[in-house]
Amino acid sequence: MLKKDYCALRPPMGWNSWDCYGAAVNEEQLLGNARYIADNLKQYGWEYVVCDIQWYEPKAVSNTYNNFADLEMDEYSRLIPAVNRFPSSADGKGFAPIAEKIHNMGLKFGIHILRGIPRQAVHRNTKIKNSSRTAREIASQYSLCPWNTDMYGVNYRAEGAQEYYDSLFELYASWGVDFVKVDDIANTEFSPNNPYSAREEIEMIRSAMDSCGREMVLSLSPGPAVVSEAFHLSQNANMWRMTGDFWDQWDKLYDMFRRCEQWADHVKPGCWPDCDMLPLGKISKTEGCHGEKDRYTNFTRNEQKTMMTLWSIFRSPLILGGELRENRKEDSEIITNSDIIGIDQYSSDNRQLRRTAHEAIWTCLDRDSNRVIAMFNTSDREREISINLEAYGFNGNYSGTELWTKEVCENIQGDFKVKVPVHGVKIIRLKKKM
Amino acid sequence: MLKKDYCALRPPMGWNSWDCYGAAVNEEQLLGNARYIADNLKQYGWEYVVCDIQWYEPKAVSNTYNNFADLEMDEYSRLIPAVNRFPSSADGKGFAPIAEKIHNMGLKFGIHILRGIPRQAVHRNTKIKNSSRTAREIASQYSLCPWNTDMYGVNYRAEGAQEYYDSLFELYASWGVDFVKVDDIANTEFSPNNPYSAREEIEMIRSAMDSCGREMVLSLSPGPAVVSEAFHLSQNANMWRMTGDFWDQWDKLYDMFRRCEQWADHVKPGCWPDCDMLPLGKISKTEGCHGEKDRYTNFTRNEQKTMMTLWSIFRSPLILGGELRENRKEDSEIITNSDIIGIDQYSSDNRQLRRTAHEAIWTCLDRDSNRVIAMFNTSDREREISINLEAYGFNGNYSGTELWTKEVCENIQGDFKVKVPVHGVKIIRLKKKM
Amino acid sequence: MLKKDYCALRPPMGWNSWDCYGAAVNEEQLLGNARYIADNLKQYGWEYVVCDIQWYEPKAVSNTYNNFADLEMDEYSRLIPAVNRFPSSADGKGFAPIAEKIHNMGLKFGIHILRGIPRQAVHRNTKIKNSSRTAREIASQYSLCPWNTDMYGVNYRAEGAQEYYDSLFELYASWGVDFVKVDDIANTEFSPNNPYSAREEIEMIRSAMDSCGREMVLSLSPGPAVVSEAFHLSQNANMWRMTGDFWDQWDKLYDMFRRCEQWADHVKPGCWPDCDMLPLGKISKTEGCHGEKDRYTNFTRNEQKTMMTLWSIFRSPLILGGELRENRKEDSEIITNSDIIGIDQYSSDNRQLRRTAHEAIWTCLDRDSNRVIAMFNTSDREREISINLEAYGFNGNYSGTELWTKEVCENIQGDFKVKVPVHGVKIIRLKKKM
Amino acid sequence: MLKKDYCALRPPMGWNSWDCYGAAVNEEQLLGNARYIADNLKQYGWEYVVCDIQWYEPKAVSNTYNNFADLEMDEYSRLIPAVNRFPSSADGKGFAPIAEKIHNMGLKFGIHILRGIPRQAVHRNTKIKNSSRTAREIASQYSLCPWNTDMYGVNYRAEGAQEYYDSLFELYASWGVDFVKVDDIANTEFSPNNPYSAREEIEMIRSAMDSCGREMVLSLSPGPAVVSEAFHLSQNANMWRMTGDFWDQWDKLYDMFRRCEQWADHVKPGCWPDCDMLPLGKISKTEGCHGEKDRYTNFTRNEQKTMMTLWSIFRSPLILGGELRENRKEDSEIITNSDIIGIDQYSSDNRQLRRTAHEAIWTCLDRDSNRVIAMFNTSDREREISINLEAYGFNGNYSGTELWTKEVCENIQGDFKVKVPVHGVKIIRLKKKM
């Protein structure tokens, strides 16, 4: 294992502001959700509180970006929190006060950044810390994010480029940041001929993080990252997205099975292909995004369990997306099932056994080396899903417990058949009988 | 014919500053070459004097662009000449004084622009004339020129977009501009999925030009434009490039035969597919560009004749690229052959008869309806090229005159064979014997 | 003009068996439709009678091909008519008796072939006439038609390849064939990386036709041919398809406007880009193909006029597709309008003036040099279409006659407005008032 | 693990006839090489003797295929050995006598097939065993191998398709075949839009193999297979090619490092991504193929070691390609190094640590759980390659043994530096000092 892997020996768990607040989250919302986690979720493993995109944009009000907006920036071309949204950041304190409060709750603090240097820094030609070069000199002029106008990419060949990234992470370390989600950097499927050198920017960020003096998780977005880049990603990052943005839509959840199949062999401690945030509970509070504004997740109860189960048996990071303070009892149940979370955090030998257009079967060993089988019904009607346990080498006689319902079933061996509801899952822990 | 066609009833002829001065031409050079044309070339038909790219960039010194350079701009987001390079433009006079001098020489004046609105206008959020909208509101944020950082494309759906283009041409008309070469707009082959809407920007420019109160030739660059867009181009422009930038390299000249074949049927009065500037005489004065700095053209004498002949029998615009004041006697001869220029300006029934990897044969009728045959040797050794005149319906007995050497050959009929040197051409005017 | 152009100085007009009988036409049907043409349509210019695909397949019964069917073939690997379908072809007479009968009616006879050599000849390794090579030696092993299993392409580099094509056209000339439609050869858009050398097979066919001793029209299918190949096509063929198969569906007719725009500049005597057969009257008699079996055309009356008008003002070949003997009065009217047919056969200066998503305007000069304007409404509601005649240089005062209704309108000048029904057309001949 | 995995718990090792005899190997050569293996190589683990392509083609004489050749075939459309090349197969015995002899040497026997059904069976319309359907009815008419004319693909939707494949493997089982290399089936990178359904043909073959009553290794060719298909491949096959055909050329060997990086996570017992045959010793005996005819491998001694080391530390199948009876002492040394072969057969935790344009570093644990490090110099000059062992968690003090030279080096810890020759490798077994 590499040194960078030690801060993410298990899949990171936490909360991110995007699904509920888009680009517009503020200090009260951030700390309010942190408080909720500390009080209700920390005991299950949830710990990161991540402030998503454009915390430096004073006028952000929703998921939609204001093109060419004026951004808060320090003298060294570094973006800093908008004081109107994050009052404690005034007087150059940045995110340090918020990070401290979150740390005091026993949690960890994360931020989002876009790769690159602000376009406004380039056009104003501002300074780079610890370099005689300027913003204009390190920008990669044709390297743009295809969905946001804040940044130009950084030209890794330019003198001053590494110094710029170093100065960013020096600042984030001084604030007490534990987790950085870098965006516009992992979507290699989007445009293979893209002139920007994502590979090189990833390496500059890795290097800056390694030398900043503070341990941080590195998360790359958006996907889809390509499987053939798995080695490079695993050398540099702790998690990376396998798909575009995930929302509470069945077609996106259905497609995740294909992605998990492709990435399953690349899941390792410190290296977690990422299924993206869990759009559970109350989301889209500032703008209807892939659904109505201010809605509870469109996923059915069965789909929610399918999602949590797939993320867990695949060992994806688990990052909540909803406004936690509006969670209902049924929302809480989905995210506080210790058995399921335990699969995510402590299982081994995770792999898909079979996948068709209508069903998928996964397996793993749980923390106590019990065989676990998850049968997913991805079709539009109830199905009996069957598996011949011996065909996969699972011989013997078992007693089984379904991990969502805790229902018990005895005398399992050979052909094992389970009725699974539409878009639902049964995940059964098998204990071998002696 | 459309109204816009009347200002270009014959292929435009003139001079452009790019091949010799790149982005760095100045007032003295512009007027010096104009003077040379008035004194030496006007009688042959050469008339446009065109100032190429970045006359608004004070620090331009060569063919290489300074990324994110600060540009001279008026209060309405319109670029204006850099006074340090064009002193007569001081006090808001723009190109009017230069245009006037050129007009007084009996010549016409042209400028180059890049489609779009200056990035600096967008980031400074400056005004649009006759509109309540601002630069930021009409920019198309992901529409970039792939080789220059000056502009963002203009979003044709935005209010204020047409007003911006109208304000540009109002200004150019007030200066006395006769010819506008719009760049970054015709290369539809480069990137079919490009998000910028070149079609719509072309139409906005056409509309602005039509309503500006002054007749101007509209030239679109760079190529390759695609043949399937020929109708749209012919409805809106007077000339458009068929290839990327042309330089004094045989492979580029060789490839032009293929392009001329594809575009030949689309050549019409007012609508001239463009073979690009003629890199003749002294070129690359500020920087070695596709060859050594400050060189005389790398084309051999035969290649120069091939180029002039192909451009003419195809009826391309003829735009000189060299520093004319350094022309030698042999350079002048190539561009003052009235027979060849007459083919370009007055011929009809122009078409290719045959093309192989090694030769090409073109024909036309000259001003006096004499049949003209051009035999090009595009191979690397001397060849005898033959054509059966009767196979193409050219019956009878002819007397022939080669238009470069004026050599005469009698008794031509049926199989007609001519020795042509490497990369050279014989262009023969046939007079029918009664 | 090339020699090959003289047999098609005007767009070919006639009938083809595909739209009504698919691959299954027989002698009675062929001669019956010929008789109908001689009696009813010849006076309007209709003259070719073309037997479409698979006349060599004894078991063909519809538009669907039998994969790997056993085909009628002579000893020289040449396909010959199936005697069960064409009884007069018995005893090695081939199509000669049918051709003779059609010639005796004052009409011309055409056949369809697929480029290539029968796969069964290759696997049986049969002989090539006038060559010591065999079928196996000239086949291009990876060159397949993507929709029919009868043939392999011919490898133009192989000895015996030209001899094979020569032997085909020698046979067709001996039968008295006047028109050959070669299929699987013009669809260069379909697969740019296709290993087959359509260019070379076209040239072999041209050469075989030139030396066969009989004048024949060469028609290439299916489309879409690509515009950048226009020169090569015009050097070798008389007509070539611009699209895939055309049927009585509005979307296909709508799309034809785009194709006609792209090809308009390439229309010349002897060289006719082809809009494909006219699916008028009774079609699909053996199998429901792009509509119900045994149906009258799905085109509305207005769409039929739009089609005939577009084909004519573009100067496409006109080839009828229906079972003519079932024509109703209204079907006959569409195809016996001498004014419209005259536009197709004798007009000049044909060109599109404007095209939007909702309308298209074309113009030409008729036989007597009167200006003709066709206003097409391609939208889904009635529209008033207007054109400023002076903007296009059509000055003066005109009297107009609509060529379908013969309605007269006086005093036309400047802005000219016409109400046009949904999917319909008004085509007006303008006579200038003195 | 699946049942199909048990016959390939370790990477298969053996010999294949292609690199030396192309399509032309005969019985004497096959048995001669088998004898050589039994006498000299079996003790090192080499055991499979595989007869490559076109053993059913009587006239095959080299690596080049005779297009549309007549093939030996039984009444059920199944190809059988050409008796002139494999005399013992006479009287319908097929490969049974050869298999028996090879089994008696203590070795295993393999054959090559092309997916699909013989084109000659389709055109002759021969029978399918245990089905009322015929060859013509199960062929997929547009599914062709792009480099050989023997077969059409099989349409998995057709009745009779599975029966055909079942009948093939029933025959092979009756012969005593232990290994089947199926060709034209794994190159999904070649043509993503290819109409043939390789996935479905792979599944039909898996099913036929499972039900044939004999355990066989399934090997798929040619590559490159795509990484995103890893799950499907691992569910159905035992080995599959990661690249196109491999030959003794440095660029191909250099490229294999990239492929091994991409596939490393997918290597598992029973599922072996395949680097292809080892072109060692005397190859190309019938025809110069990617080099001179009848040559000893063009790989330098260092390149040979690099190849054997990479194949082994990646755990590729090891299949020899040369005529073993012409092996020289130095050829034998490369393939009889028990340490290296032991890495291939028994190592674990295999993975790449680093790769640049100039070097690659791999590691694994050997059979005794000693850490092994391989340092490859892929550049064109001698290099010192260094690795910080602690950065990868390899703490402590080691004694090292280079596995090719057996040189010993003491006191290895922290920064470990090794000089490696051009295109060469050092592979060091580290024993931890207590």
Side-chain angles (χ1 to χ4, degrees), chain C residues 385-406:
Chain C
I385 301 181
S386 74
I387 176 175
N388 185 291
L389 295 173
E390 285 166 9
Y392 293 95
F394 310 146
N395 302 317
N397 187 300
Y398 299 91
S399 140
T401 306
E402 208 285 326
L403 299 182
W404 285 105
T405 59
K406 315 303 180 195

PDB file of all heavy atoms in Angstrom, chain C residues 385-406:
ATOM      1  N   ILE C 385     -46.133  31.738 -47.757  1.00  0.00           N
ATOM      2  CA  ILE C 385     -44.697  31.816 -48.022  1.00  0.00           C
ATOM      3  C   ILE C 385     -44.459  33.035 -48.892  1.00  0.00           C
ATOM      4  O   ILE C 385     -45.200  33.282 -49.849  1.00  0.00           O
ATOM      5  CB  ILE C 385     -44.201  30.540 -48.732  1.00  0.00           C
ATOM      6  CG1 ILE C 385     -44.512  29.320 -47.838  1.00  0.00           C
ATOM      7  CG2 ILE C 385     -42.725  30.622 -49.059  1.00  0.00           C
ATOM      8  CD1 ILE C 385     -44.047  28.003 -48.405  1.00  0.00           C
ATOM      9  N   SER C 386     -43.432  33.810 -48.521  1.00  0.00           N
ATOM     10  CA  SER C 386     -43.199  35.023 -49.307  1.00  0.00           C
ATOM     11  C   SER C 386     -41.748  35.098 -49.747  1.00  0.00           C
ATOM     12  O   SER C 386     -40.852  34.584 -49.098  1.00  0.00           O
ATOM     13  CB  SER C 386     -43.566  36.256 -48.479  1.00  0.00           C
ATOM     14  OG  SER C 386     -42.578  36.477 -47.514  1.00  0.00           O
ATOM     15  N   ILE C 387     -41.558  35.742 -50.865  1.00  0.00           N
ATOM     16  CA  ILE C 387     -40.212  35.935 -51.394  1.00  0.00           C
ATOM     17  C   ILE C 387     -40.159  37.327 -52.006  1.00  0.00           C
ATOM     18  O   ILE C 387     -41.109  37.772 -52.675  1.00  0.00           O
ATOM     19  CB  ILE C 387     -39.874  34.847 -52.435  1.00  0.00           C
ATOM     20  CG1 ILE C 387     -38.497  35.125 -53.045  1.00  0.00           C
ATOM     21  CG2 ILE C 387     -40.946  34.734 -53.520  1.00  0.00           C
ATOM     22  CD1 ILE C 387     -38.026  34.045 -53.978  1.00  0.00           C
ATOM     23  N   ASN C 388     -39.063  37.997 -51.749  1.00  0.00           N
ATOM     24  CA  ASN C 388     -38.863  39.287 -52.393  1.00  0.00           C
ATOM     25  C   ASN C 388     -38.140  39.039 -53.714  1.00  0.00           C
ATOM     26  O   ASN C 388     -36.940  38.743 -53.740  1.00  0.00           O
ATOM     27  CB  ASN C 388     -38.055  40.223 -51.500  1.00  0.00           C
ATOM     28  CG  ASN C 388     -37.953  41.598 -52.127  1.00  0.00           C
ATOM     29  OD1 ASN C 388     -37.289  41.765 -53.144  1.00  0.00           O
ATOM     30  ND2 ASN C 388     -38.640  42.577 -51.545  1.00  0.00           N
ATOM     31  N   LEU C 389     -38.860  39.143 -54.793  1.00  0.00           N
ATOM     32  CA  LEU C 389     -38.291  38.774 -56.095  1.00  0.00           C
ATOM     33  C   LEU C 389     -37.082  39.623 -56.438  1.00  0.00           C
ATOM     34  O   LEU C 389     -36.096  39.138 -57.010  1.00  0.00           O
ATOM     35  CB  LEU C 389     -39.361  38.911 -57.188  1.00  0.00           C
ATOM     36  CG  LEU C 389     -40.536  37.935 -57.042  1.00  0.00           C
ATOM     37  CD1 LEU C 389     -41.626  38.259 -58.065  1.00  0.00           C
ATOM     38  CD2 LEU C 389     -40.068  36.490 -57.225  1.00  0.00           C
ATOM     39  N   GLU C 390     -37.121  40.885 -56.057  1.00  0.00           N
ATOM     40  CA  GLU C 390     -36.008  41.772 -56.409  1.00  0.00           C
ATOM     41  C   GLU C 390     -34.730  41.426 -55.663  1.00  0.00           C
ATOM     42  O   GLU C 390     -33.628  41.637 -56.165  1.00  0.00           O
ATOM     43  CB  GLU C 390     -36.415  43.224 -56.174  1.00  0.00           C
ATOM     44  CG  GLU C 390     -37.369  43.699 -57.293  1.00  0.00           C
ATOM     45  CD  GLU C 390     -38.086  44.984 -56.970  1.00  0.00           C
ATOM     46  OE1 GLU C 390     -37.745  45.624 -55.953  1.00  0.00           O
ATOM     47  OE2 GLU C 390     -39.021  45.338 -57.725  1.00  0.00           O
ATOM     48  N   ALA C 391     -34.887  40.895 -54.455  1.00  0.00           N
ATOM     49  CA  ALA C 391     -33.686  40.516 -53.699  1.00  0.00           C
ATOM     50  C   ALA C 391     -32.873  39.479 -54.453  1.00  0.00           C
ATOM     51  O   ALA C 391     -31.665  39.338 -54.246  1.00  0.00           O
ATOM     52  CB  ALA C 391     -34.086  39.977 -52.323  1.00  0.00           C
ATOM     53  N   TYR C 392     -33.557  38.727 -55.327  1.00  0.00           N
ATOM     54  CA  TYR C 392     -32.855  37.719 -56.113  1.00  0.00           C
ATOM     55  C   TYR C 392     -32.608  38.165 -57.548  1.00  0.00           C
ATOM     56  O   TYR C 392     -32.238  37.376 -58.403  1.00  0.00           O
ATOM     57  CB  TYR C 392     -33.643  36.400 -56.077  1.00  0.00           C
ATOM     58  CG  TYR C 392     -33.653  35.793 -54.695  1.00  0.00           C
ATOM     59  CD1 TYR C 392     -34.709  36.028 -53.818  1.00  0.00           C
ATOM     60  CD2 TYR C 392     -32.579  35.029 -54.241  1.00  0.00           C
ATOM     61  CE1 TYR C 392     -34.719  35.497 -52.536  1.00  0.00           C
ATOM     62  CE2 TYR C 392     -32.577  34.500 -52.961  1.00  0.00           C
ATOM     63  CZ  TYR C 392     -33.643  34.738 -52.113  1.00  0.00           C
ATOM     64  OH  TYR C 392     -33.618  34.207 -50.850  1.00  0.00           O
ATOM     65  N   GLY C 393     -32.889  39.436 -57.816  1.00  0.00           N
ATOM     66  CA  GLY C 393     -32.612  39.957 -59.145  1.00  0.00           C
ATOM     67  C   GLY C 393     -33.736  39.731 -60.142  1.00  0.00           C
ATOM     68  O   GLY C 393     -33.539  39.909 -61.349  1.00  0.00           O
ATOM     69  N   PHE C 394     -34.903  39.296 -59.658  1.00  0.00           N
ATOM     70  CA  PHE C 394     -36.017  39.069 -60.577  1.00  0.00           C
ATOM     71  C   PHE C 394     -36.869  40.337 -60.595  1.00  0.00           C
ATOM     72  O   PHE C 394     -37.905  40.430 -59.935  1.00  0.00           O
ATOM     73  CB  PHE C 394     -36.852  37.867 -60.140  1.00  0.00           C
ATOM     74  CG  PHE C 394     -36.038  36.633 -59.848  1.00  0.00           C
ATOM     75  CD1 PHE C 394     -36.423  35.739 -58.852  1.00  0.00           C
ATOM     76  CD2 PHE C 394     -34.876  36.342 -60.575  1.00  0.00           C
ATOM     77  CE1 PHE C 394     -35.685  34.601 -58.577  1.00  0.00           C
ATOM     78  CE2 PHE C 394     -34.120  35.193 -60.300  1.00  0.00           C
ATOM     79  CZ  PHE C 394     -34.520  34.333 -59.293  1.00  0.00           C
ATOM     80  N   ASN C 395     -36.443  41.312 -61.338  1.00  0.00           N
ATOM     81  CA  ASN C 395     -37.122  42.602 -61.378  1.00  0.00           C
ATOM     82  C   ASN C 395     -38.229  42.593 -62.428  1.00  0.00           C
ATOM     83  O   ASN C 395     -38.292  41.725 -63.295  1.00  0.00           O
ATOM     84  CB  ASN C 395     -36.106  43.699 -61.693  1.00  0.00           C
ATOM     85  CG  ASN C 395     -34.991  43.708 -60.668  1.00  0.00           C
ATOM     86  OD1 ASN C 395     -35.231  43.589 -59.467  1.00  0.00           O
ATOM     87  ND2 ASN C 395     -33.745  43.818 -61.141  1.00  0.00           N
ATOM     88  N   GLY C 396     -39.112  43.568 -62.344  1.00  0.00           N
ATOM     89  CA  GLY C 396     -40.160  43.689 -63.360  1.00  0.00           C
ATOM     90  C   GLY C 396     -41.504  43.241 -62.838  1.00  0.00           C
ATOM     91  O   GLY C 396     -41.671  42.897 -61.667  1.00  0.00           O
ATOM     92  N   ASN C 397     -42.461  43.252 -63.721  1.00  0.00           N
ATOM     93  CA  ASN C 397     -43.840  42.903 -63.400  1.00  0.00           C
ATOM     94  C   ASN C 397     -44.210  41.637 -64.175  1.00  0.00           C
ATOM     95  O   ASN C 397     -43.935  41.529 -65.374  1.00  0.00           O
ATOM     96  CB  ASN C 397     -44.751  44.085 -63.800  1.00  0.00           C
ATOM     97  CG  ASN C 397     -46.164  43.865 -63.335  1.00  0.00           C
ATOM     98  OD1 ASN C 397     -46.802  42.890 -63.721  1.00  0.00           O
ATOM     99  ND2 ASN C 397     -46.659  44.776 -62.495  1.00  0.00           N
ATOM    100  N   TYR C 398     -44.786  40.688 -63.456  1.00  0.00           N
ATOM    101  CA  TYR C 398     -45.038  39.394 -64.068  1.00  0.00           C
ATOM    102  C   TYR C 398     -46.507  38.997 -63.990  1.00  0.00           C
ATOM    103  O   TYR C 398     -47.229  39.397 -63.081  1.00  0.00           O
ATOM    104  CB  TYR C 398     -44.257  38.298 -63.331  1.00  0.00           C
ATOM    105  CG  TYR C 398     -42.777  38.455 -63.340  1.00  0.00           C
ATOM    106  CD1 TYR C 398     -42.121  39.148 -62.317  1.00  0.00           C
ATOM    107  CD2 TYR C 398     -41.996  37.898 -64.368  1.00  0.00           C
ATOM    108  CE1 TYR C 398     -40.749  39.277 -62.307  1.00  0.00           C
ATOM    109  CE2 TYR C 398     -40.609  38.019 -64.358  1.00  0.00           C
ATOM    110  CZ  TYR C 398     -39.993  38.708 -63.323  1.00  0.00           C
ATOM    111  OH  TYR C 398     -38.635  38.826 -63.317  1.00  0.00           O
ATOM    112  N   SER C 399     -46.876  38.133 -64.900  1.00  0.00           N
ATOM    113  CA  SER C 399     -48.131  37.391 -64.785  1.00  0.00           C
ATOM    114  C   SER C 399     -47.726  35.947 -64.490  1.00  0.00           C
ATOM    115  O   SER C 399     -46.769  35.406 -65.063  1.00  0.00           O
ATOM    116  CB  SER C 399     -48.880  37.506 -66.117  1.00  0.00           C
ATOM    117  OG  SER C 399     -49.489  36.306 -66.468  1.00  0.00           O
ATOM    118  N   GLY C 400     -48.439  35.316 -63.533  1.00  0.00           N
ATOM    119  CA  GLY C 400     -48.017  33.983 -63.103  1.00  0.00           C
ATOM    120  C   GLY C 400     -49.060  32.913 -63.336  1.00  0.00           C
ATOM    121  O   GLY C 400     -50.258  33.164 -63.232  1.00  0.00           O
ATOM    122  N   THR C 401     -48.595  31.686 -63.627  1.00  0.00           N
ATOM    123  CA  THR C 401     -49.488  30.532 -63.774  1.00  0.00           C
ATOM    124  C   THR C 401     -48.990  29.404 -62.884  1.00  0.00           C
ATOM    125  O   THR C 401     -47.820  29.005 -62.975  1.00  0.00           O
ATOM    126  CB  THR C 401     -49.504  30.018 -65.231  1.00  0.00           C
ATOM    127  OG1 THR C 401     -49.828  31.100 -66.090  1.00  0.00           O
ATOM    128  CG2 THR C 401     -50.508  28.876 -65.396  1.00  0.00           C
ATOM    129  N   GLU C 402     -49.865  28.922 -62.003  1.00  0.00           N
ATOM    130  CA  GLU C 402     -49.500  27.795 -61.148  1.00  0.00           C
ATOM    131  C   GLU C 402     -49.571  26.536 -62.004  1.00  0.00           C
ATOM    132  O   GLU C 402     -50.580  26.285 -62.673  1.00  0.00           O
ATOM    133  CB  GLU C 402     -50.458  27.714 -59.950  1.00  0.00           C
ATOM    134  CG  GLU C 402     -49.843  27.086 -58.710  1.00  0.00           C
ATOM    135  CD  GLU C 402     -49.695  25.585 -58.806  1.00  0.00           C
ATOM    136  OE1 GLU C 402     -50.545  24.943 -59.432  1.00  0.00           O
ATOM    137  OE2 GLU C 402     -48.701  25.037 -58.265  1.00  0.00           O
ATOM    138  N   LEU C 403     -48.518  25.737 -61.981  1.00  0.00           N
ATOM    139  CA  LEU C 403     -48.417  24.671 -62.975  1.00  0.00           C
ATOM    140  C   LEU C 403     -49.214  23.414 -62.651  1.00  0.00           C
ATOM    141  O   LEU C 403     -49.380  22.542 -63.500  1.00  0.00           O
ATOM    142  CB  LEU C 403     -46.955  24.329 -63.229  1.00  0.00           C
ATOM    143  CG  LEU C 403     -46.113  25.485 -63.783  1.00  0.00           C
ATOM    144  CD1 LEU C 403     -44.689  25.036 -64.056  1.00  0.00           C
ATOM    145  CD2 LEU C 403     -46.738  26.039 -65.061  1.00  0.00           C
ATOM    146  N   TRP C 404     -49.694  23.247 -61.430  1.00  0.00           N
ATOM    147  CA  TRP C 404     -50.577  22.111 -61.130  1.00  0.00           C
ATOM    148  C   TRP C 404     -52.038  22.483 -61.368  1.00  0.00           C
ATOM    149  O   TRP C 404     -52.808  21.700 -61.912  1.00  0.00           O
ATOM    150  CB  TRP C 404     -50.388  21.664 -59.666  1.00  0.00           C
ATOM    151  CG  TRP C 404     -49.108  20.911 -59.454  1.00  0.00           C
ATOM    152  CD1 TRP C 404     -47.977  21.360 -58.863  1.00  0.00           C
ATOM    153  CD2 TRP C 404     -48.830  19.558 -59.860  1.00  0.00           C
ATOM    154  NE1 TRP C 404     -46.998  20.391 -58.855  1.00  0.00           N
ATOM    155  CE2 TRP C 404     -47.503  19.264 -59.473  1.00  0.00           C
ATOM    156  CE3 TRP C 404     -49.569  18.561 -60.524  1.00  0.00           C
ATOM    157  CZ2 TRP C 404     -46.905  18.035 -59.710  1.00  0.00           C
ATOM    158  CZ3 TRP C 404     -48.968  17.331 -60.758  1.00  0.00           C
ATOM    159  CH2 TRP C 404     -47.644  17.071 -60.360  1.00  0.00           C
ATOM    160  N   THR C 405     -52.423  23.698 -60.954  1.00  0.00           N
ATOM    161  CA  THR C 405     -53.843  24.084 -61.053  1.00  0.00           C
ATOM    162  C   THR C 405     -54.143  24.930 -62.289  1.00  0.00           C
ATOM    163  O   THR C 405     -55.302  25.110 -62.649  1.00  0.00           O
ATOM    164  CB  THR C 405     -54.233  24.930 -59.831  1.00  0.00           C
ATOM    165  OG1 THR C 405     -53.377  26.094 -59.810  1.00  0.00           O
ATOM    166  CG2 THR C 405     -54.057  24.155 -58.539  1.00  0.00           C
ATOM    167  N   LYS C 406     -53.087  25.469 -62.897  1.00  0.00           N
ATOM    168  CA  LYS C 406     -53.213  26.383 -64.034  1.00  0.00           C
ATOM    169  C   LYS C 406     -53.879  27.710 -63.625  1.00  0.00           C
ATOM    170  O   LYS C 406     -54.290  28.495 -64.485  1.00  0.00           O
ATOM    171  CB  LYS C 406     -53.991  25.754 -65.213  1.00  0.00           C
ATOM    172  CG  LYS C 406     -53.579  24.323 -65.553  1.00  0.00           C
ATOM    173  CD  LYS C 406     -52.094  24.175 -65.886  1.00  0.00           C
ATOM    174  CE  LYS C 406     -51.765  22.707 -66.210  1.00  0.00           C
ATOM    175  NZ  LYS C 406     -50.319  22.415 -66.193  1.00  0.00           N
TER     176      LYS C 406
END
